[in-house]
Amino acid sequence: MTFRAQHLLGIEPLHPTEITALLDLSDRYAEENRRGVRHKDVLAGLTQINMFFENSTRTQASFELAGKRLGADVMNMSMGQTSLKKGETLIDTALTLNAMHPDLLVVRHPNSGAVDLLAQKVNCAVLNAGDGRHEHPTQALLDALTIRRAKGRLHRLSIAICGDIAHSRVARSNITLLGKMENRIRLIAPPTLMPAGIAEFGCEVFDDMEKGLEGVDVVMMLRLQKERMDGGFIPSEREYFHRYGLDANKLKFAKPDAIVMHPGPMNRGVEIDGVIADDINRSVIQTQVEMGVAVRMAAMDLLARNLRERRVDNRPVLV
Ligand code: CP
């Protein structure tokens, strides 16, 4: 198995063979989850702590389920009720938890880079569950698995990522992963929501949905991240939906068998028409949620194997 990482902090450090290894194992877990097969032995004896400093439904629930299906002891910290409220820093919180010898730490934080910083202070494996606008690696991996299962491959596809690119860690991780796997990436957004210099990542840039969607295999819509906006990025939600919201008329420009994706949570009627989101012939949004559990099982399984190996290598020599 080619996956040597100590932490999963982002897609950037991963080699394509590591991505493929992770997706192959995720595929196995996805099939076994459907059959109700459980693997309580994989993380047996290990402690997983989930620390979410930002709201989450899908990521937190699926990391918890993934850990429990693999037999870990899972603890969800209620971050609003910790001593952070009394002024304790993130690093002191991490050191405090580290002293309790966890094995897997799953962290979501509103600040870009906070999870990397925390990983430098602890002995366990750290998984980034989303940090600011930086990375959301397990989201990109579950998106990749969903695409690979729907299209039968994860290379030489034309993939449109549409909407609020500027504030999106999902876009950033997906651009990195899909680029590493040699896909053609088109970014479609109003100029106010397109980060400067993004074309350097090898993407084609559009501000018109119909032109950008022409002949694509995959349409990935993004949420308008109002919580990260401090000014007028769009004239109005109504106008935004008219120009950039995915509806049946715009989807006609993609290939007839193009799939529609959205990481959730969705703003129906803002970035996507509810009818398209619920169309089981086009939308794979619920499959993305399903693959989220499998990918997080695979990620924790592989990191735990590496953690156990490191601990064996570092054990004291008895004389
Ligand atoms: N896609 C995603 O990260 O969703 P949550 O915020 O619900 O975890």
Side-chain angles (χ1 to χ4, degrees), residues 138-164:
T138 54
Q139 179 69 47
L141 287 160
L142 75 87
D143 289 341
L145 182 61
T146 305
I147 294 170
R148 197 174 81 166
R149 288 169 68 102
K151 293 287 161 196
R153 67 183 199 276
L154 189 61
H155 61 277
R156 296 195 186 168
L157 291 167
S158 183
I159 299 170
I161 303 178
C162 320
D164 186 358

Short mmCIF file of all heavy atoms in Angstrom, two decimals, residues 138-164:
data_model
loop_
_atom_site.label_atom_id
_atom_site.label_comp_id
_atom_site.label_asym_id
_atom_site.label_seq_id
_atom_site.Cartn_x
_atom_site.Cartn_y
_atom_site.Cartn_z
N THR A 138 -10.65 15.66 2.80
CA THR A 138 -11.54 14.50 2.70
C THR A 138 -12.74 14.80 1.79
O THR A 138 -13.29 13.89 1.17
CB THR A 138 -12.01 13.99 4.08
OG1 THR A 138 -12.59 15.08 4.82
CG2 THR A 138 -10.87 13.37 4.86
N GLN A 139 -13.12 16.10 1.69
CA GLN A 139 -14.19 16.45 0.75
C GLN A 139 -13.73 16.20 -0.69
O GLN A 139 -14.46 15.62 -1.49
CB GLN A 139 -14.59 17.92 0.93
CG GLN A 139 -15.69 18.38 -0.02
CD GLN A 139 -17.04 17.75 0.27
OE1 GLN A 139 -17.46 17.72 1.43
NE2 GLN A 139 -17.73 17.25 -0.75
N ALA A 140 -12.50 16.64 -1.01
CA ALA A 140 -12.00 16.43 -2.38
C ALA A 140 -11.87 14.93 -2.67
O ALA A 140 -12.16 14.48 -3.79
CB ALA A 140 -10.65 17.12 -2.56
N LEU A 141 -11.46 14.15 -1.69
CA LEU A 141 -11.31 12.70 -1.90
C LEU A 141 -12.68 12.04 -2.11
O LEU A 141 -12.83 11.17 -2.97
CB LEU A 141 -10.58 12.07 -0.71
CG LEU A 141 -9.07 12.40 -0.66
CD1 LEU A 141 -8.52 12.18 0.74
CD2 LEU A 141 -8.30 11.56 -1.67
N LEU A 142 -13.68 12.46 -1.34
CA LEU A 142 -15.00 11.85 -1.52
C LEU A 142 -15.61 12.30 -2.85
O LEU A 142 -16.33 11.53 -3.51
CB LEU A 142 -15.92 12.13 -0.32
CG LEU A 142 -16.54 13.52 -0.15
CD1 LEU A 142 -17.85 13.66 -0.89
CD2 LEU A 142 -16.76 13.80 1.34
N ASP A 143 -15.30 13.52 -3.27
CA ASP A 143 -15.77 13.98 -4.59
C ASP A 143 -15.10 13.16 -5.68
O ASP A 143 -15.75 12.73 -6.64
CB ASP A 143 -15.44 15.47 -4.78
CG ASP A 143 -16.31 16.38 -3.89
OD1 ASP A 143 -17.37 15.92 -3.42
OD2 ASP A 143 -15.91 17.54 -3.65
N ALA A 144 -13.80 12.92 -5.52
CA ALA A 144 -13.06 12.13 -6.52
C ALA A 144 -13.61 10.71 -6.60
O ALA A 144 -13.77 10.15 -7.70
CB ALA A 144 -11.58 12.10 -6.16
N LEU A 145 -13.92 10.11 -5.45
CA LEU A 145 -14.46 8.75 -5.45
C LEU A 145 -15.83 8.73 -6.14
O LEU A 145 -16.13 7.81 -6.92
CB LEU A 145 -14.57 8.23 -4.00
CG LEU A 145 -15.07 6.81 -3.83
CD1 LEU A 145 -14.14 5.80 -4.52
CD2 LEU A 145 -15.22 6.45 -2.35
N THR A 146 -16.64 9.74 -5.87
CA THR A 146 -17.97 9.82 -6.49
C THR A 146 -17.84 9.93 -8.01
O THR A 146 -18.55 9.24 -8.76
CB THR A 146 -18.74 11.04 -5.93
OG1 THR A 146 -18.77 10.95 -4.50
CG2 THR A 146 -20.16 11.10 -6.46
N ILE A 147 -16.91 10.77 -8.46
CA ILE A 147 -16.70 10.94 -9.91
C ILE A 147 -16.20 9.63 -10.51
O ILE A 147 -16.69 9.16 -11.55
CB ILE A 147 -15.68 12.08 -10.19
CG1 ILE A 147 -16.25 13.43 -9.75
CG2 ILE A 147 -15.29 12.11 -11.68
CD1 ILE A 147 -15.24 14.57 -9.76
N ARG A 148 -15.22 8.99 -9.86
CA ARG A 148 -14.63 7.76 -10.41
C ARG A 148 -15.68 6.66 -10.54
O ARG A 148 -15.70 5.92 -11.52
CB ARG A 148 -13.46 7.31 -9.51
CG ARG A 148 -12.55 6.31 -10.18
CD ARG A 148 -11.33 5.99 -9.35
NE ARG A 148 -11.61 5.01 -8.30
CZ ARG A 148 -10.66 4.36 -7.62
NH1 ARG A 148 -9.38 4.61 -7.87
NH2 ARG A 148 -10.98 3.49 -6.69
N ARG A 149 -16.56 6.56 -9.54
CA ARG A 149 -17.60 5.53 -9.60
C ARG A 149 -18.65 5.85 -10.67
O ARG A 149 -19.16 4.94 -11.33
CB ARG A 149 -18.26 5.37 -8.22
CG ARG A 149 -17.34 4.69 -7.20
CD ARG A 149 -17.89 4.78 -5.79
NE ARG A 149 -19.09 4.01 -5.60
CZ ARG A 149 -19.16 2.81 -5.00
NH1 ARG A 149 -18.04 2.24 -4.55
NH2 ARG A 149 -20.30 2.20 -4.83
N ALA A 150 -18.97 7.14 -10.84
CA ALA A 150 -20.01 7.51 -11.82
C ALA A 150 -19.48 7.44 -13.24
O ALA A 150 -20.21 7.05 -14.16
CB ALA A 150 -20.53 8.91 -11.52
N LYS A 151 -18.23 7.83 -13.44
CA LYS A 151 -17.68 7.95 -14.80
C LYS A 151 -16.75 6.80 -15.17
O LYS A 151 -16.29 6.70 -16.32
CB LYS A 151 -16.90 9.28 -14.93
CG LYS A 151 -17.80 10.50 -14.85
CD LYS A 151 -18.62 10.62 -16.14
CE LYS A 151 -19.82 11.50 -16.00
NZ LYS A 151 -20.78 11.31 -17.11
N GLY A 152 -16.40 5.96 -14.20
CA GLY A 152 -15.53 4.82 -14.49
C GLY A 152 -14.06 5.17 -14.57
O GLY A 152 -13.23 4.31 -14.84
N ARG A 153 -13.72 6.43 -14.39
CA ARG A 153 -12.31 6.84 -14.40
C ARG A 153 -12.18 8.18 -13.71
O ARG A 153 -13.19 8.87 -13.48
CB ARG A 153 -11.77 6.93 -15.82
CG ARG A 153 -12.37 8.04 -16.66
CD ARG A 153 -11.82 8.00 -18.09
NE ARG A 153 -12.01 9.26 -18.81
CZ ARG A 153 -13.12 9.59 -19.45
NH1 ARG A 153 -14.15 8.78 -19.45
NH2 ARG A 153 -13.19 10.76 -20.08
N LEU A 154 -10.93 8.57 -13.40
CA LEU A 154 -10.68 9.86 -12.74
C LEU A 154 -9.57 10.59 -13.49
O LEU A 154 -8.70 11.22 -12.90
CB LEU A 154 -10.31 9.63 -11.26
CG LEU A 154 -10.22 10.89 -10.39
CD1 LEU A 154 -11.53 11.63 -10.31
CD2 LEU A 154 -9.73 10.53 -8.98
N HIS A 155 -9.52 10.48 -14.80
CA HIS A 155 -8.54 11.22 -15.58
C HIS A 155 -9.18 11.58 -16.91
O HIS A 155 -10.13 10.96 -17.36
CB HIS A 155 -7.27 10.39 -15.80
CG HIS A 155 -7.51 9.11 -16.53
ND1 HIS A 155 -7.94 7.97 -15.91
CD2 HIS A 155 -7.43 8.81 -17.85
CE1 HIS A 155 -8.09 7.02 -16.80
NE2 HIS A 155 -7.79 7.49 -17.99
N ARG A 156 -8.64 12.63 -17.54
CA ARG A 156 -9.11 13.11 -18.84
C ARG A 156 -10.62 13.36 -18.86
O ARG A 156 -11.29 13.04 -19.83
CB ARG A 156 -8.71 12.15 -19.95
CG ARG A 156 -7.22 12.11 -20.05
CD ARG A 156 -6.73 11.50 -21.32
NE ARG A 156 -5.30 11.39 -21.27
CZ ARG A 156 -4.57 10.70 -22.11
NH1 ARG A 156 -5.13 10.06 -23.09
NH2 ARG A 156 -3.27 10.66 -21.98
N LEU A 157 -11.12 13.92 -17.77
CA LEU A 157 -12.52 14.37 -17.73
C LEU A 157 -12.51 15.89 -17.78
O LEU A 157 -11.54 16.53 -17.35
CB LEU A 157 -13.20 13.90 -16.44
CG LEU A 157 -13.44 12.39 -16.32
CD1 LEU A 157 -13.82 12.03 -14.88
CD2 LEU A 157 -14.54 11.92 -17.29
N SER A 158 -13.59 16.45 -18.28
CA SER A 158 -13.75 17.91 -18.27
C SER A 158 -14.69 18.25 -17.12
O SER A 158 -15.84 17.82 -17.10
CB SER A 158 -14.31 18.33 -19.62
OG SER A 158 -14.39 19.72 -19.66
N ILE A 159 -14.16 18.99 -16.14
CA ILE A 159 -14.89 19.21 -14.89
C ILE A 159 -15.04 20.70 -14.63
O ILE A 159 -14.05 21.45 -14.59
CB ILE A 159 -14.13 18.53 -13.72
CG1 ILE A 159 -14.02 17.02 -13.98
CG2 ILE A 159 -14.83 18.83 -12.37
CD1 ILE A 159 -13.12 16.27 -13.05
N ALA A 160 -16.30 21.16 -14.48
CA ALA A 160 -16.55 22.58 -14.19
C ALA A 160 -16.80 22.75 -12.69
O ALA A 160 -17.60 22.03 -12.10
CB ALA A 160 -17.77 23.06 -14.98
N ILE A 161 -16.07 23.68 -12.08
CA ILE A 161 -16.29 24.04 -10.67
C ILE A 161 -16.86 25.46 -10.69
O ILE A 161 -16.23 26.38 -11.24
CB ILE A 161 -14.97 23.97 -9.86
CG1 ILE A 161 -14.36 22.56 -9.99
CG2 ILE A 161 -15.22 24.32 -8.40
CD1 ILE A 161 -13.02 22.38 -9.26
N CYS A 162 -18.07 25.61 -10.15
CA CYS A 162 -18.82 26.84 -10.40
C CYS A 162 -19.26 27.53 -9.10
O CYS A 162 -19.76 26.86 -8.19
CB CYS A 162 -20.11 26.53 -11.17
SG CYS A 162 -19.94 25.30 -12.45
N GLY A 163 -19.11 28.84 -9.06
CA GLY A 163 -19.68 29.61 -7.96
C GLY A 163 -18.63 30.35 -7.16
O GLY A 163 -17.72 30.96 -7.72
N ASP A 164 -18.74 30.25 -5.85
CA ASP A 164 -17.90 31.04 -4.94
C ASP A 164 -16.53 30.39 -4.77
O ASP A 164 -16.22 29.80 -3.72
CB ASP A 164 -18.63 31.17 -3.59
CG ASP A 164 -17.90 32.10 -2.63
OD1 ASP A 164 -16.82 32.61 -2.98
OD2 ASP A 164 -18.43 32.29 -1.51
#
